[in-house]
Amino acid sequence: MLKSFVELSLGTDTEKLASALNMNPEQVTCVETSKSMRKVLENKGYSVTTSIPDINDVLEADESQSSRPLFSFVSLLNVIDRCDNPKALLESAISSLQPGGHLLLSIVLPFSGRVYEGKLFHPWKRARSRKPLFPLQLLSDFDIPNEKSFEVNAAMFFEAILRLQPQLELVKWTRLPYVSSGDLKRTHYPLDMAVAVLKLNPNLPTLASSDKTSVVAKSGSESLPLTCQNKGKSKIFTWLQKTLVDNGYVKASWGKVLDAGAGVNSMCWLLRQSYDTVTGVTARPAGLDSYGDALHSFVDDSVNIVVGNWKDKAFMKETNQYDIVLSDYLLGSTELHWRFGAEMLLERILTVLKPNGFLLIIGLEPYEMILHRSDPHDRLVLDIEAIGDSVALLIGESTYRELPQQWVIEQIDRRPDFEVVATQQFAMKLTAESMRRQLAYATKTAAKIVDRDFRVAFEKRIEDLTLSLDTFETHNKARNYAVVVQRKNKSGE
Ligand SMILES: C[S@@+](CC[C@H](N)C(=O)[O-])C[C@H]1O[C@@H](n2cnc3c(N)ncnc32)[C@H](O)[C@@H]1O
């Protein structure tokens, strides 16, 4: 039986579509959440339901079939950009489509995901819109130049759809005009939309098939935790993503991924990618620089959080395990968990990398390498950094020990099996606020100085530095860096 479900408002487009497909209203099921609109559609003779899973329940019940009935045709017209979870919507739609069935998709371009909340069609109140909770990830994250043509926008959109649903084949698409209702400035906005027919080809591999576990489907951007909404989106991550592509790593899945020094930002960035498995390592469950509890609180069971220390020889000892290893501010922080261990730690994380795999290193260039005491602005930054470090040293606690990019490069250069394929520096903004946070650490640590006179002297110095921040202008000479390392395969390619 030819069936379709269509999400539309007043039913006129449903009518047009049903007639184009030669279907009677009783062969069409509509998904509609608005009660009044459901009534309109029902009056026209369509089956109406409020969500896609309901459709299956309804049809299973009245057709008394043992297997779930599937549709030969599904349409999602201008809805992917107006829902909280486009990936999940797409998955539900595809899971309701019979093999060889068709999906009709339309989308206004450039893609702009917004979810409207509040009263629609109210004469005095405008509906509020916000970003989707689980945004569709487009290749725009890869920095394609500013002015994008309609075709580039269409390519980016369909790449995202086919990445999420590799069993779909793009059969045909076209460009149509779209007129959007206006606002106080203009009566209307002329835009463009793409309309496409895609075919479900069960012979194509799914992301979750082959030798992989099916983690991708569970923990891709679709189920991105709320915590990640604004996390893991830095310029550095974007550059790393692009650099992998530039170096030929254009895969539907990143394979087995390791966050070797896990934290919320790095984990959120990785969760935005397609992968087979993600493992995050952190040194301790809680406390300074230890994210075990924090990570457990927002990732689900599909992500493997390992609490342990790279220092321990028995820890993560299997070699050639991971396709991608991320070291996000790990080398500088390991001093807290493994004194003078950075070089050995680097060796460990290189060992777990598969041939042809990539190690992505993010670090902070030590301030002393680029700032100069002769410049008063630089000096204040250096003094604030130094007071925290010296207090920690004084009370016998270890603190961060950042390592220069050049150190990383030289470490890699002396290993014939590995190669630095790209490096990049990123300007870092130091604000009065970030400087105050450094001083807050110094204050907290200084309270542990046992000798009273010594403690008072330190507290006075911290107070003076705090006062100097009243006139602090954002400092932007400091640098973060990223280094991309590839493990050569056995033949040395
Ligand atoms: C500064 S945090 C990294 C920042 C983090 N990637 C983020 O997104 O914010 C350092 C991470 O590496 C972990 N780490 C540092 N040294 C370690 C070691 N020797 N063994 C295991 N984990 C370590 C810390 O526990 C923490 O999870």
Side-chain angles (χ1 to χ4, degrees):
M1 186 162 43
L2 202 60
K3 291 185 186 119
S4 158
F5 63 83
V6 188
E7 161 126 1
L8 284 168
S9 51
L10 300 173
T12 50
D13 286 349
T14 311
E15 266 170 16
K16 286 181 212 158
L17 195 55
S19 125
L21 292 168
N22 239 343
M23 285 189 280
N24 302 319
E26 62 274 14
Q27 292 175 291
V28 177
T29 302
C30 305
V31 180
E32 179 55 71
T33 50
S34 150
K35 202 171 166 191
S36 56
M37 289 176 192
R38 280 206 299 275
K39 196 110 212 109
V40 173
L41 290 163
E42 272 161 5
N43 287 341
K44 294 186 186 216
Y46 300 108
S47 305
V48 188
T49 181
T50 50
S51 68
I52 295 174
D54 284 356
I55 290 176
N56 303 327
D57 298 344
V58 169
L59 294 176
E60 258 173 44
D62 63 30
E63 293 192 0
S64 57
Q65 289 179 4
S66 53
S67 64
R68 191 161 62 84
L70 296 170
F71 296 91
S72 59
F73 193 90
V74 171
S75 72
L76 291 174
L77 302 184
N78 296 359
V79 62
I80 293 270
D81 54 350
R82 291 290 171 267
C83 63
D84 263 327
N85 196 337
K87 186 180 175 195
L89 176 67
L90 200 59
E91 261 166 23
S92 310
I94 300 309
S95 67
S96 306
L97 200 57
Q98 68 189 31
H102 289 89
L103 171 72
L104 178 68
L105 206 59
S106 73
I107 191 76
V108 175
L109 294 172
F111 185 88
S112 166
R114 299 300 297 176
V115 175
Y116 285 84
E117 284 177 328
K119 249 191 150 72
L120 276 174
F121 308 125
H122 188 285
W124 312 117
K125 252 191 225 167
R126 281 176 57 78
R128 270 204 319 239
S129 73
R130 59 164 171 77
K131 280 189 185 161
L133 294 180
F134 308 108
L136 186 70
Q137 297 299 310
L138 295 188
L139 281 181
S140 56
D141 293 351
F142 287 10
D143 250 1
I144 293 171
N146 297 344
E147 274 302 303
K148 298 181 194 92
S149 64
F150 177 82
E151 287 72 15
V152 168
N153 281 306
M156 279 159 44
F157 174 73
F158 290 120
E159 184 282 332
I161 299 298
L162 299 178
R163 177 167 22 96
L164 295 175
Q165 289 295 333
Q167 290 198 313
L168 285 176
E169 279 174 318
L170 187 58
V171 179
K172 271 204 167 141
W173 72 281
T174 189
R175 173 182 183 165
L176 290 176
Y178 180 88
V179 180
S180 152
S181 55
D183 51 24
L184 292 176
K185 288 184 218 129
R186 288 175 64 170
T187 55
H188 65 277
Y189 289 88
L191 299 167
D192 290 298
M193 68 194 274
V195 180
V197 176
L198 299 110
K199 185 177 174 186
L200 180 62
N201 182 350
N203 298 325
L204 293 174
T206 60
L207 280 185
S209 64
S210 70
D211 60 336
K212 332 260 169 72
T213 61
S214 61
V215 172
V216 167
K218 278 208 279 169
S219 35
S221 55
E222 170 246 327
S223 51
L224 200 64
L226 259 184
T227 311
C228 291
Q229 222 177 333
N230 296 313
K231 299 261 192 285
K233 290 179 163 183
S234 72
K235 277 192 184 146
I236 307 183
F237 288 138
T238 305
W239 179 83
L240 285 172
Q241 211 159 347
K242 181 176 178 299
T243 304
L244 284 178
V245 174
D246 290 349
N247 281 279
Y249 204 72
V250 193
K251 299 198 172 184
S253 163
W254 277 11
K256 284 183 76 177
V257 176
L258 174 70
D259 189 354
V264 180
N265 283 309
S266 50
M267 191 49 85
C268 286
W269 178 57
L270 293 176
L271 291 181
R272 286 173 199 282
Q273 315 307 323
S274 292
Y275 50 78
D276 299 340
T277 62
V278 169
T279 302
V281 167
T282 184
R284 285 190 290 253
L288 180 65
D289 191 50
S290 296
Y291 291 91
D293 292 344
L295 290 167
H296 275 300
S297 71
F298 76 89
V299 301
D300 66 20
D301 292 346
S302 63
V303 177
N304 186 21
I305 302 297
V306 183
V307 175
N309 198 326
W310 285 102
K311 183 182 181 180
D312 174 0
K313 285 208 172 103
F315 183 66
M316 306 286 287
K317 65 177 191 321
E318 286 145 279
T319 55
N320 302 357
Q321 279 291 302
Y322 296 96
D323 298 280
I324 300 281
V325 175
L326 174 63
S327 164
D328 177 44
Y329 301 108
L330 167 64
L331 293 171
S333 80
T334 198
E335 194 65 20
L336 295 173
H337 310 282
W338 183 2
R339 285 211 170 162
F340 303 103
E343 191 174 339
M344 287 169 283
L345 177 103
L346 182 61
E347 178 63 31
R348 293 280 166 82
I349 59 179
L350 286 169
T351 308
V352 296
L353 196 61
K354 282 184 189 172
N356 283 332
F358 288 91
L359 168 64
L360 316 175
I361 301 175
I362 298 174
L364 170 69
E365 199 65 39
Y367 292 159
E368 308 85 73
M369 304 288 292
I370 33 184
L371 308 190
H372 302 284
R373 289 203 158 268
S374 51
D375 173 337
H377 205 192
D378 285 5
R379 191 172 65 235
L380 183 55
V381 172
L382 288 167
D383 283 351
I384 290 176
E385 187 69 7
I387 190 96
D389 286 352
S390 51
V391 176
L393 192 66
L394 204 72
I395 62 160
E397 281 184 6
S398 48
T399 184
Y400 291 79
R401 182 166 172 260
E402 303 301 342
L403 290 158
Q405 174 182 299
Q406 195 51 34
W407 179 90
V408 174
I409 293 173
E410 279 169 19
Q411 287 288 331
I412 301 301
D413 282 353
R414 73 169 71 126
R415 292 168 162 89
D417 289 351
F418 297 88
E419 185 185 12
V420 172
V421 295
T423 64
Q424 183 72 37
Q425 297 244 335
F426 300 86
M428 189 184 170
K429 270 193 194 158
L430 296 174
T431 60
E433 194 44 44
S434 59
M435 292 287 96
R436 280 196 190 96
R437 277 199 296 272
Q438 294 281 359
L439 287 171
Y441 162 75
T443 308
K444 202 173 90 192
T445 316
K448 298 183 197 166
I449 300 176
V450 180
D451 183 286
R452 188 183 171 280
D453 291 346
F454 223 8
R455 190 176 64 246
V456 170
F458 264 95
E459 283 167 351
K460 171 80 175 70
R461 175 77 178 133
I462 294 169
E463 206 181 307
D464 290 348
L465 288 169
T466 308
L467 286 175
S468 336
L469 284 178
D470 286 350
T471 53
F472 187 85
E473 280 166 22
T474 300
H475 181 280
N476 49 23
K477 273 199 227 159
R479 294 279 179 273
N480 286 299
Y481 62 83
V483 177
V484 176
V485 176
Q486 186 169 27
R487 182 172 201 156
K488 297 174 189 168
N489 69 17
K490 289 255 158 60
S491 57
E493 284 160 27

